[in-house]
Amino acid sequence: MTSLSAPSAPRIDHRTDPGPVLGVTNQRPRLSWTVASAPEDYVQSAYELEIVRGDEPMTWRVTSGDQVLVPWPGAPLEARESATVRVRVQGSGWSQWSEPTTVEAGLLAAHDWTAKFISPVGIGGLRQAAPELLGVFQLPDDIASARLYATAHGIFTARLNSRLVDDTVLAPGWTSYHHRLRYRAYDVTDLVKPGRNELTAILGNGWWRGRLGFLGERAFYGDRLALLAQLEVKTSDGTVHTFGTDGNWHARPTGVLVDDIYDGQTTDLRADTAAPYESAVEEVPTDLGVLVGEDGPPVRVTDTLAAVRVWTSPSGKTLVDFGQNVVGWARLYARATRAGTEVTVRHAEVLDAGELAMRPLRSARATDTYFLRGDDEEILEPSLTFHGFRYAEITGLSDIRPDDVEAIVIGSDLQRTGWFDSSHALLNRFHENVVWGMRGNFVDVPTDCPQRDERLGWTGDIQVFSPTATFLHDSSGFLTSWLADLAAEQERDGSVPHVVPDILRTPMSSAPAAAWGDAATVVPWVLWERTGDKDVLARQFDSMRAWVDKIDAVAGDDLIWRGGNQYGDWLDPTAPPEAPDRATADPDVIATAHFARSAQIVADAAQVLDRVNDAAYYGQLAERVRAAFASEFVTPAGRVLSDAQTVYAIALEWGLLTDTAQRRTAGSRLADLVRAGSFRIATGFVGTPVICDALMNAGYSDLAFRLLLQTECPSWLYPVTMGATTVWERWDSMLPDGSINPGEMTSFNHYALGSIVDWVHRRIAGLAPAEPGYRTISVRPVPPRGLTHASARHRTPYGEASVSWHRDAGTLTLAVRVPVGSRAEVELPWGAGTALVGHGDHTWQVEEPRRGDRPMTTVRDVIDDAALWRSFVDVAVDGGLASSETSAARLLAPHLDRPATELLDAVWTRSWPSDPAKARLADVLRPYLGHVEHAAQPDLEPTGV
Ligand code: BGC
């Protein structure tokens, strides 16, 4: 029998630091643990926490089955206080104690800081070289430990005695600086020494003072760079020696002549590294009340990729391909080059006619320049910028070999928590592209794209992507922090800015926009569902409610949200390149649907938080909005205004249609639209994440799979066939002829349209949360025909869960792993049964029902038979009846209900007089339809294609 293993060392809130967790500002951090294995009948009945503060261990025994985010039992931590925490759990007996976790509080209030923000005087101005600041300290002999607390206006790279204080980059990242400026606590015990110590920091413009947004603005947060650093060194007698930034520091210019996130960095490597610090600094009055600690991991270098190819472009430029669209920078190793040589590296995501395609970057120059020292070997890389690129163009160095250059990948250092695999190579690559898209766009802020003059926290993008994000990587701390920014930036009247941090700040950029502002309600709810964090709901509740109240006010008495500046079903494939909001779905339908959905989320959140009155109020509001939606936009039979795939998908999935007959009509209409669209995607940001759920739940799984596995443009897999290594902003960012979409908004690394993989995890592999935090797991795979296996793994808060199925000779084997503390509700495919299972490994075998020959009754059935449809299209195109699959589908669309035997008559007109073609079509259909009549041509008017 499996024995009960000791729990894992407790996790502190959402922090994932491998060692001691420093700089914690939640004085009562919540604790979580996992249990690797336990006897089959194990259920946690109690846990015991031991917390050592100072010398005294204290223990708390709690009768509870909880193991995720349990409350801190003791007195709140005080500033700088350190504690070690361990846990053991009780089943039929007690487990061993876990390994301890050390948690240490950071500086908690403005008065904990004696350091002052300082800025250099006379150097380090807006268009001057990046400054470096120096502070000198004398330390005694018996150093026990040392902490550095630091942040900046701008981004900084700090060194203690010439060694980097840690491995983070772009510190302190990007938050809504004027409301929340993050600092970090560093353990620098190993970097300090008795006697003289030097602390230096280079300051870059970063988000504080660099260019931000597509309007060309600079210095959004201020025009001076400044550093705040406080070093606290404890000696063995317990005395704390504190040194901080103050007027005694000095500064000098560095060889970083230019630095900008969009435009790149210019570095003169000849700059004298021994130059004296001759400039004075001065204190910059700053409200230290805005300082906050870290919720999630910082930005780090997370990967290094070798160049896969170096070659000469048609115009004679040296190009490098890294084989993967990434975010970071190129590092070059230059050998024995003449001093003063100018080397330039330009970055781009794609090539155009064999040359670097810079147009999609718009005004971002994405160019790093170096003036070399002339040493035998020089390493060229920036530290105060980043780019989104797969290709680099290098000028100024000759004979570059692949070994001389590599791509440095950066991003918020999130733990990977989700994996998917299947027998479908293109689908797997698409999934990989989604993962890379997330890595590149989770750079402290969830951004739309990482390469052009934008890279902003567009709320709509993360609203749709958050379920996928929380599966793939542990995004809990990252999104918790971003949501705090969202709440801080929200207007008093509840409006949510379209980007957070809000740097657009125009009345238009915070005028309520559906799907974008709904990030205020959806993202906290997703975090609750995926992590079980109730506190995030509690913290965001006022923000969530304010957003719904705002829409309520905008909608007015009839509860229909009309007009305004809506993005609508942004970027559906019918929207013209220059007008991404001109989608097929009616914007009022989309807006009002979001109103109903968000009101319901607020009601549900209130329920979780035991806010009874709020739950009742918003529940009724949601109910009334649904009724208003139905009476304004839905016909009695179930058609929805604008008759677009997106409006049916959201009406079905968000519970806006309650009448069974209406739901049936809406589902079948959605299915017919998908058929008429020949399984090319027809949705934008709003419809894309829900379309496959809607089809599947309405009983049209096969159509959902055909949509998912489509490779023609527009579709999810089309970019993969074009060599994409990330998800594109547009369905056709690159056109089928290899040219770049003419729209001025054409990124090759946007995660929004990748949000479908959440459905792939939940319904193809079959792994989803059934209760918040995966306390109960839902296992409901629906195996698509054509896939022989699929699997998903996820590190839930309880430990790793997995679902995997494979087919073999008509038998499907399903294997499920449930972590200790969780359980799974299993629904076997093809109605083969259900099960409720506890932790451990479980397998089932299911005989796959033979798909008897489906009756070919109507024209619709012809389209639904993928093989027949393929042959029909081939012959129809060949014989001139249709110009493409799309036009063939459009031709059949008005005749879906006609008997299949009449198909030829239905679509035949005088414009296609070719009898041989008709005969061939009849041949294609005959095996399916039996005898097909194609006698004399009836007298039909041409309808055109
Ligand atoms: C961004 C989008 C964003 C949109 C909204 C674009 O420029 O890249 O992803 O959501 O603007 O207008």
PDB file of all heavy atoms in Angstrom, residues 214 362 447-449 452 454-456 458-461 498-499 516 567 570-571 685 729 745 747 750 752, ligand 1:
ATOM      1  N   PHE A 214       1.796  54.266 -29.352  1.00  0.00           N
ATOM      2  CA  PHE A 214       1.970  54.528 -30.779  1.00  0.00           C
ATOM      3  C   PHE A 214       1.852  56.013 -31.106  1.00  0.00           C
ATOM      4  O   PHE A 214       1.854  56.406 -32.257  1.00  0.00           O
ATOM      5  CB  PHE A 214       0.958  53.715 -31.600  1.00  0.00           C
ATOM      6  CG  PHE A 214      -0.381  53.587 -30.928  1.00  0.00           C
ATOM      7  CD1 PHE A 214      -1.264  54.646 -30.932  1.00  0.00           C
ATOM      8  CD2 PHE A 214      -0.725  52.414 -30.256  1.00  0.00           C
ATOM      9  CE1 PHE A 214      -2.492  54.541 -30.290  1.00  0.00           C
ATOM     10  CE2 PHE A 214      -1.946  52.314 -29.615  1.00  0.00           C
ATOM     11  CZ  PHE A 214      -2.839  53.377 -29.625  1.00  0.00           C
ATOM     12  N   ARG A 362       6.242  49.193 -37.316  1.00  0.00           N
ATOM     13  CA  ARG A 362       5.833  50.607 -37.391  1.00  0.00           C
ATOM     14  C   ARG A 362       7.022  51.484 -37.005  1.00  0.00           C
ATOM     15  O   ARG A 362       8.084  51.359 -37.601  1.00  0.00           O
ATOM     16  CB  ARG A 362       4.591  50.841 -36.543  1.00  0.00           C
ATOM     17  CG  ARG A 362       3.438  49.956 -36.997  1.00  0.00           C
ATOM     18  CD  ARG A 362       2.102  50.414 -36.488  1.00  0.00           C
ATOM     19  NE  ARG A 362       1.986  50.458 -35.051  1.00  0.00           N
ATOM     20  CZ  ARG A 362       0.905  50.050 -34.378  1.00  0.00           C
ATOM     21  NH1 ARG A 362      -0.152  49.568 -35.029  1.00  0.00           N
ATOM     22  NH2 ARG A 362       0.849  50.158 -33.085  1.00  0.00           N
ATOM     23  N   THR A 447       1.010  41.682 -22.450  1.00  0.00           N
ATOM     24  CA  THR A 447       0.950  42.645 -23.554  1.00  0.00           C
ATOM     25  C   THR A 447       0.250  42.057 -24.776  1.00  0.00           C
ATOM     26  O   THR A 447       0.115  40.849 -24.909  1.00  0.00           O
ATOM     27  CB  THR A 447       2.358  43.100 -23.971  1.00  0.00           C
ATOM     28  OG1 THR A 447       3.127  41.958 -24.339  1.00  0.00           O
ATOM     29  CG2 THR A 447       3.040  43.832 -22.837  1.00  0.00           C
ATOM     30  N   ASP A 448      -0.147  42.956 -25.667  1.00  0.00           N
ATOM     31  CA  ASP A 448      -0.741  42.528 -26.929  1.00  0.00           C
ATOM     32  C   ASP A 448       0.309  41.907 -27.833  1.00  0.00           C
ATOM     33  O   ASP A 448       0.078  40.916 -28.492  1.00  0.00           O
ATOM     34  CB  ASP A 448      -1.418  43.707 -27.636  1.00  0.00           C
ATOM     35  CG  ASP A 448      -0.474  44.883 -27.868  1.00  0.00           C
ATOM     36  OD1 ASP A 448       0.517  45.018 -27.122  1.00  0.00           O
ATOM     37  OD2 ASP A 448      -0.721  45.668 -28.793  1.00  0.00           O
ATOM     38  N   CYS A 449       1.465  42.554 -27.893  1.00  0.00           N
ATOM     39  CA  CYS A 449       2.523  42.119 -28.796  1.00  0.00           C
ATOM     40  C   CYS A 449       3.839  42.641 -28.256  1.00  0.00           C
ATOM     41  O   CYS A 449       3.856  43.566 -27.465  1.00  0.00           O
ATOM     42  CB  CYS A 449       2.262  42.671 -30.208  1.00  0.00           C
ATOM     43  SG  CYS A 449       2.180  44.480 -30.247  1.00  0.00           S
ATOM     44  N   ARG A 452       6.311  45.853 -31.897  1.00  0.00           N
ATOM     45  CA  ARG A 452       6.144  47.159 -32.536  1.00  0.00           C
ATOM     46  C   ARG A 452       6.022  48.253 -31.478  1.00  0.00           C
ATOM     47  O   ARG A 452       6.218  48.010 -30.289  1.00  0.00           O
ATOM     48  CB  ARG A 452       4.924  47.130 -33.454  1.00  0.00           C
ATOM     49  CG  ARG A 452       3.602  46.964 -32.721  1.00  0.00           C
ATOM     50  CD  ARG A 452       2.438  46.960 -33.712  1.00  0.00           C
ATOM     51  NE  ARG A 452       1.181  46.780 -33.014  1.00  0.00           N
ATOM     52  CZ  ARG A 452       0.222  45.959 -33.417  1.00  0.00           C
ATOM     53  NH1 ARG A 452       0.381  45.219 -34.500  1.00  0.00           N
ATOM     54  NH2 ARG A 452      -0.892  45.876 -32.742  1.00  0.00           N
ATOM     55  N   GLU A 454       4.137  49.423 -29.465  1.00  0.00           N
ATOM     56  CA  GLU A 454       2.920  49.206 -28.713  1.00  0.00           C
ATOM     57  C   GLU A 454       3.258  48.438 -27.433  1.00  0.00           C
ATOM     58  O   GLU A 454       3.497  49.022 -26.413  1.00  0.00           O
ATOM     59  CB  GLU A 454       1.885  48.479 -29.590  1.00  0.00           C
ATOM     60  CG  GLU A 454       0.484  48.659 -29.054  1.00  0.00           C
ATOM     61  CD  GLU A 454      -0.596  48.642 -30.143  1.00  0.00           C
ATOM     62  OE1 GLU A 454      -0.295  48.666 -31.332  1.00  0.00           O
ATOM     63  OE2 GLU A 454      -1.774  48.608 -29.755  1.00  0.00           O
ATOM     64  N   ARG A 455       3.197  47.111 -27.432  1.00  0.00           N
ATOM     65  CA  ARG A 455       3.622  46.297 -26.286  1.00  0.00           C
ATOM     66  C   ARG A 455       2.902  46.724 -25.011  1.00  0.00           C
ATOM     67  O   ARG A 455       3.520  46.908 -23.957  1.00  0.00           O
ATOM     68  CB  ARG A 455       5.124  46.382 -26.074  1.00  0.00           C
ATOM     69  CG  ARG A 455       5.904  46.307 -27.375  1.00  0.00           C
ATOM     70  CD  ARG A 455       7.386  46.240 -27.136  1.00  0.00           C
ATOM     71  NE  ARG A 455       8.139  46.542 -28.336  1.00  0.00           N
ATOM     72  CZ  ARG A 455       9.442  46.535 -28.414  1.00  0.00           C
ATOM     73  NH1 ARG A 455      10.156  46.245 -27.363  1.00  0.00           N
ATOM     74  NH2 ARG A 455      10.066  46.831 -29.535  1.00  0.00           N
ATOM     75  N   LEU A 456       1.599  46.898 -25.127  1.00  0.00           N
ATOM     76  CA  LEU A 456       0.819  47.455 -24.024  1.00  0.00           C
ATOM     77  C   LEU A 456      -0.086  46.400 -23.401  1.00  0.00           C
ATOM     78  O   LEU A 456      -0.402  45.388 -24.031  1.00  0.00           O
ATOM     79  CB  LEU A 456      -0.029  48.624 -24.540  1.00  0.00           C
ATOM     80  CG  LEU A 456       0.760  49.735 -25.241  1.00  0.00           C
ATOM     81  CD1 LEU A 456      -0.187  50.804 -25.771  1.00  0.00           C
ATOM     82  CD2 LEU A 456       1.776  50.352 -24.283  1.00  0.00           C
ATOM     83  N   TRP A 458      -3.083  45.541 -23.185  1.00  0.00           N
ATOM     84  CA  TRP A 458      -4.450  45.626 -23.712  1.00  0.00           C
ATOM     85  C   TRP A 458      -5.354  44.656 -22.956  1.00  0.00           C
ATOM     86  O   TRP A 458      -5.105  43.445 -22.925  1.00  0.00           O
ATOM     87  CB  TRP A 458      -4.474  45.300 -25.210  1.00  0.00           C
ATOM     88  CG  TRP A 458      -4.020  46.449 -26.058  1.00  0.00           C
ATOM     89  CD1 TRP A 458      -2.781  46.629 -26.579  1.00  0.00           C
ATOM     90  CD2 TRP A 458      -4.800  47.585 -26.463  1.00  0.00           C
ATOM     91  NE1 TRP A 458      -2.731  47.811 -27.286  1.00  0.00           N
ATOM     92  CE2 TRP A 458      -3.962  48.414 -27.233  1.00  0.00           C
ATOM     93  CE3 TRP A 458      -6.123  47.987 -26.246  1.00  0.00           C
ATOM     94  CZ2 TRP A 458      -4.396  49.617 -27.794  1.00  0.00           C
ATOM     95  CZ3 TRP A 458      -6.554  49.178 -26.799  1.00  0.00           C
ATOM     96  CH2 TRP A 458      -5.699  49.978 -27.558  1.00  0.00           C
ATOM     97  N   THR A 459      -6.389  45.239 -22.366  1.00  0.00           N
ATOM     98  CA  THR A 459      -7.240  44.453 -21.467  1.00  0.00           C
ATOM     99  C   THR A 459      -8.010  43.352 -22.198  1.00  0.00           C
ATOM    100  O   THR A 459      -8.209  42.275 -21.649  1.00  0.00           O
ATOM    101  CB  THR A 459      -8.225  45.396 -20.759  1.00  0.00           C
ATOM    102  OG1 THR A 459      -8.782  46.287 -21.737  1.00  0.00           O
ATOM    103  CG2 THR A 459      -7.534  46.206 -19.692  1.00  0.00           C
ATOM    104  N   GLY A 460      -8.455  43.634 -23.431  1.00  0.00           N
ATOM    105  CA  GLY A 460      -9.249  42.650 -24.161  1.00  0.00           C
ATOM    106  C   GLY A 460      -8.446  41.399 -24.466  1.00  0.00           C
ATOM    107  O   GLY A 460      -8.956  40.270 -24.418  1.00  0.00           O
ATOM    108  N   ASP A 461      -7.172  41.579 -24.757  1.00  0.00           N
ATOM    109  CA  ASP A 461      -6.335  40.446 -25.147  1.00  0.00           C
ATOM    110  C   ASP A 461      -6.177  39.466 -23.983  1.00  0.00           C
ATOM    111  O   ASP A 461      -6.358  38.257 -24.145  1.00  0.00           O
ATOM    112  CB  ASP A 461      -4.956  40.943 -25.621  1.00  0.00           C
ATOM    113  CG  ASP A 461      -5.063  41.927 -26.787  1.00  0.00           C
ATOM    114  OD1 ASP A 461      -5.910  42.828 -26.736  1.00  0.00           O
ATOM    115  OD2 ASP A 461      -4.299  41.798 -27.762  1.00  0.00           O
ATOM    116  N   HIS A 498      -8.440  50.911 -21.607  1.00  0.00           N
ATOM    117  CA  HIS A 498      -8.253  49.830 -22.572  1.00  0.00           C
ATOM    118  C   HIS A 498      -6.870  49.193 -22.449  1.00  0.00           C
ATOM    119  O   HIS A 498      -6.676  48.077 -22.903  1.00  0.00           O
ATOM    120  CB  HIS A 498      -8.471  50.340 -23.995  1.00  0.00           C
ATOM    121  CG  HIS A 498      -9.813  50.982 -24.181  1.00  0.00           C
ATOM    122  ND1 HIS A 498     -10.255  51.465 -25.371  1.00  0.00           N
ATOM    123  CD2 HIS A 498     -10.833  51.191 -23.301  1.00  0.00           C
ATOM    124  CE1 HIS A 498     -11.473  51.977 -25.224  1.00  0.00           C
ATOM    125  NE2 HIS A 498     -11.835  51.824 -23.979  1.00  0.00           N
ATOM    126  N   VAL A 499      -5.952  49.938 -21.900  1.00  0.00           N
ATOM    127  CA  VAL A 499      -4.642  49.349 -21.607  1.00  0.00           C
ATOM    128  C   VAL A 499      -4.306  49.604 -20.144  1.00  0.00           C
ATOM    129  O   VAL A 499      -4.599  50.662 -19.599  1.00  0.00           O
ATOM    130  CB  VAL A 499      -3.506  49.909 -22.513  1.00  0.00           C
ATOM    131  CG1 VAL A 499      -3.769  49.596 -23.971  1.00  0.00           C
ATOM    132  CG2 VAL A 499      -3.300  51.391 -22.315  1.00  0.00           C
ATOM    133  N   TRP A 516     -13.074  44.407 -23.572  1.00  0.00           N
ATOM    134  CA  TRP A 516     -11.825  44.958 -23.049  1.00  0.00           C
ATOM    135  C   TRP A 516     -12.024  45.271 -21.554  1.00  0.00           C
ATOM    136  O   TRP A 516     -11.342  44.706 -20.703  1.00  0.00           O
ATOM    137  CB  TRP A 516     -11.408  46.184 -23.876  1.00  0.00           C
ATOM    138  CG  TRP A 516     -10.570  45.778 -25.050  1.00  0.00           C
ATOM    139  CD1 TRP A 516      -9.234  46.018 -25.208  1.00  0.00           C
ATOM    140  CD2 TRP A 516     -10.980  45.040 -26.220  1.00  0.00           C
ATOM    141  NE1 TRP A 516      -8.794  45.462 -26.399  1.00  0.00           N
ATOM    142  CE2 TRP A 516      -9.830  44.866 -27.033  1.00  0.00           C
ATOM    143  CE3 TRP A 516     -12.178  44.499 -26.660  1.00  0.00           C
ATOM    144  CZ2 TRP A 516      -9.868  44.179 -28.249  1.00  0.00           C
ATOM    145  CZ3 TRP A 516     -12.210  43.813 -27.873  1.00  0.00           C
ATOM    146  CH2 TRP A 516     -11.069  43.663 -28.641  1.00  0.00           C
ATOM    147  N   TYR A 567     -14.842  47.849 -29.802  1.00  0.00           N
ATOM    148  CA  TYR A 567     -13.945  47.078 -30.675  1.00  0.00           C
ATOM    149  C   TYR A 567     -14.689  45.889 -31.277  1.00  0.00           C
ATOM    150  O   TYR A 567     -14.245  45.292 -32.246  1.00  0.00           O
ATOM    151  CB  TYR A 567     -12.727  46.573 -29.905  1.00  0.00           C
ATOM    152  CG  TYR A 567     -11.862  47.679 -29.372  1.00  0.00           C
ATOM    153  CD1 TYR A 567     -11.709  47.882 -28.011  1.00  0.00           C
ATOM    154  CD2 TYR A 567     -11.207  48.538 -30.245  1.00  0.00           C
ATOM    155  CE1 TYR A 567     -10.908  48.900 -27.520  1.00  0.00           C
ATOM    156  CE2 TYR A 567     -10.408  49.560 -29.764  1.00  0.00           C
ATOM    157  CZ  TYR A 567     -10.264  49.740 -28.395  1.00  0.00           C
ATOM    158  OH  TYR A 567      -9.480  50.750 -27.925  1.00  0.00           O
ATOM    159  N   TRP A 570     -13.429  42.121 -32.687  1.00  0.00           N
ATOM    160  CA  TRP A 570     -12.169  42.634 -33.240  1.00  0.00           C
ATOM    161  C   TRP A 570     -11.464  41.624 -34.141  1.00  0.00           C
ATOM    162  O   TRP A 570     -11.243  40.493 -33.729  1.00  0.00           O
ATOM    163  CB  TRP A 570     -11.292  43.006 -32.048  1.00  0.00           C
ATOM    164  CG  TRP A 570     -10.005  43.715 -32.322  1.00  0.00           C
ATOM    165  CD1 TRP A 570      -8.755  43.185 -32.193  1.00  0.00           C
ATOM    166  CD2 TRP A 570      -9.831  45.081 -32.702  1.00  0.00           C
ATOM    167  NE1 TRP A 570      -7.815  44.133 -32.479  1.00  0.00           N
ATOM    168  CE2 TRP A 570      -8.452  45.305 -32.793  1.00  0.00           C
ATOM    169  CE3 TRP A 570     -10.708  46.134 -32.994  1.00  0.00           C
ATOM    170  CZ2 TRP A 570      -7.918  46.545 -33.157  1.00  0.00           C
ATOM    171  CZ3 TRP A 570     -10.171  47.360 -33.349  1.00  0.00           C
ATOM    172  CH2 TRP A 570      -8.799  47.547 -33.418  1.00  0.00           C
ATOM    173  N   LEU A 571     -11.153  42.068 -35.351  1.00  0.00           N
ATOM    174  CA  LEU A 571     -10.314  41.284 -36.249  1.00  0.00           C
ATOM    175  C   LEU A 571     -10.945  39.986 -36.730  1.00  0.00           C
ATOM    176  O   LEU A 571     -10.232  39.013 -36.971  1.00  0.00           O
ATOM    177  CB  LEU A 571      -8.962  40.955 -35.595  1.00  0.00           C
ATOM    178  CG  LEU A 571      -7.919  42.065 -35.656  1.00  0.00           C
ATOM    179  CD1 LEU A 571      -6.710  41.704 -34.797  1.00  0.00           C
ATOM    180  CD2 LEU A 571      -7.445  42.296 -37.084  1.00  0.00           C
ATOM    181  N   PHE A 685     -11.764  38.363 -31.860  1.00  0.00           N
ATOM    182  CA  PHE A 685     -11.299  38.178 -30.479  1.00  0.00           C
ATOM    183  C   PHE A 685     -12.393  37.600 -29.577  1.00  0.00           C
ATOM    184  O   PHE A 685     -12.103  36.832 -28.675  1.00  0.00           O
ATOM    185  CB  PHE A 685     -10.859  39.520 -29.883  1.00  0.00           C
ATOM    186  CG  PHE A 685      -9.421  39.886 -30.142  1.00  0.00           C
ATOM    187  CD1 PHE A 685      -8.769  39.477 -31.293  1.00  0.00           C
ATOM    188  CD2 PHE A 685      -8.710  40.667 -29.228  1.00  0.00           C
ATOM    189  CE1 PHE A 685      -7.448  39.816 -31.530  1.00  0.00           C
ATOM    190  CE2 PHE A 685      -7.394  41.012 -29.450  1.00  0.00           C
ATOM    191  CZ  PHE A 685      -6.760  40.592 -30.599  1.00  0.00           C
ATOM    192  N   GLU A 729      -1.356  38.039 -34.955  1.00  0.00           N
ATOM    193  CA  GLU A 729      -2.417  38.978 -34.584  1.00  0.00           C
ATOM    194  C   GLU A 729      -3.638  38.803 -35.484  1.00  0.00           C
ATOM    195  O   GLU A 729      -4.768  38.805 -35.031  1.00  0.00           O
ATOM    196  CB  GLU A 729      -1.898  40.404 -34.722  1.00  0.00           C
ATOM    197  CG  GLU A 729      -2.960  41.465 -34.474  1.00  0.00           C
ATOM    198  CD  GLU A 729      -2.386  42.858 -34.403  1.00  0.00           C
ATOM    199  OE1 GLU A 729      -1.331  43.099 -35.033  1.00  0.00           O
ATOM    200  OE2 GLU A 729      -2.968  43.705 -33.701  1.00  0.00           O
ATOM    201  N   MET A 745      -1.513  47.197 -38.681  1.00  0.00           N
ATOM    202  CA  MET A 745      -1.478  46.518 -37.391  1.00  0.00           C
ATOM    203  C   MET A 745      -1.281  45.034 -37.683  1.00  0.00           C
ATOM    204  O   MET A 745      -2.224  44.297 -37.794  1.00  0.00           O
ATOM    205  CB  MET A 745      -2.857  46.738 -36.781  1.00  0.00           C
ATOM    206  CG  MET A 745      -2.923  46.891 -35.316  1.00  0.00           C
ATOM    207  SD  MET A 745      -4.671  46.901 -34.884  1.00  0.00           S
ATOM    208  CE  MET A 745      -5.191  45.318 -35.499  1.00  0.00           C
ATOM    209  N   SER A 747       0.956  42.085 -36.400  1.00  0.00           N
ATOM    210  CA  SER A 747       1.998  41.469 -35.588  1.00  0.00           C
ATOM    211  C   SER A 747       2.029  39.969 -35.839  1.00  0.00           C
ATOM    212  O   SER A 747       1.034  39.362 -36.233  1.00  0.00           O
ATOM    213  CB  SER A 747       1.744  41.786 -34.112  1.00  0.00           C
ATOM    214  OG  SER A 747       1.772  40.651 -33.304  1.00  0.00           O
ATOM    215  N   HIS A 750       0.935  37.630 -31.213  1.00  0.00           N
ATOM    216  CA  HIS A 750      -0.200  38.142 -30.456  1.00  0.00           C
ATOM    217  C   HIS A 750      -0.903  36.915 -29.879  1.00  0.00           C
ATOM    218  O   HIS A 750      -1.218  35.997 -30.622  1.00  0.00           O
ATOM    219  CB  HIS A 750      -1.179  38.802 -31.445  1.00  0.00           C
ATOM    220  CG  HIS A 750      -1.334  40.267 -31.283  1.00  0.00           C
ATOM    221  ND1 HIS A 750      -0.332  41.155 -31.563  1.00  0.00           N
ATOM    222  CD2 HIS A 750      -2.401  41.023 -30.895  1.00  0.00           C
ATOM    223  CE1 HIS A 750      -0.788  42.398 -31.363  1.00  0.00           C
ATOM    224  NE2 HIS A 750      -2.034  42.334 -30.950  1.00  0.00           N
ATOM    225  N   ALA A 752      -3.965  36.503 -28.495  1.00  0.00           N
ATOM    226  CA  ALA A 752      -5.428  36.429 -28.349  1.00  0.00           C
ATOM    227  C   ALA A 752      -6.062  35.267 -29.130  1.00  0.00           C
ATOM    228  O   ALA A 752      -6.876  34.519 -28.591  1.00  0.00           O
ATOM    229  CB  ALA A 752      -6.053  37.750 -28.749  1.00  0.00           C
TER     230      ALA A 752
HETATM  231  C1  BGC B   1      -3.651  45.773 -30.179  1.00  0.00           C
HETATM  232  C2  BGC B   1      -4.741  44.784 -29.896  1.00  0.00           C
HETATM  233  C3  BGC B   1      -5.680  45.526 -29.009  1.00  0.00           C
HETATM  234  C4  BGC B   1      -6.337  46.499 -29.935  1.00  0.00           C
HETATM  235  C5  BGC B   1      -7.505  47.208 -29.420  1.00  0.00           C
HETATM  236  C6  BGC B   1      -4.258  46.814 -31.058  1.00  0.00           C
HETATM  237  O1  BGC B   1      -3.374  47.752 -31.513  1.00  0.00           O
HETATM  238  O2  BGC B   1      -2.514  45.218 -30.700  1.00  0.00           O
HETATM  239  O3  BGC B   1      -4.369  43.545 -29.580  1.00  0.00           O
HETATM  240  O4  BGC B   1      -6.533  44.807 -28.227  1.00  0.00           O
HETATM  241  O5  BGC B   1      -5.361  47.395 -30.448  1.00  0.00           O
HETATM  242  O6  BGC B   1      -7.755  48.329 -30.137  1.00  0.00           O
END
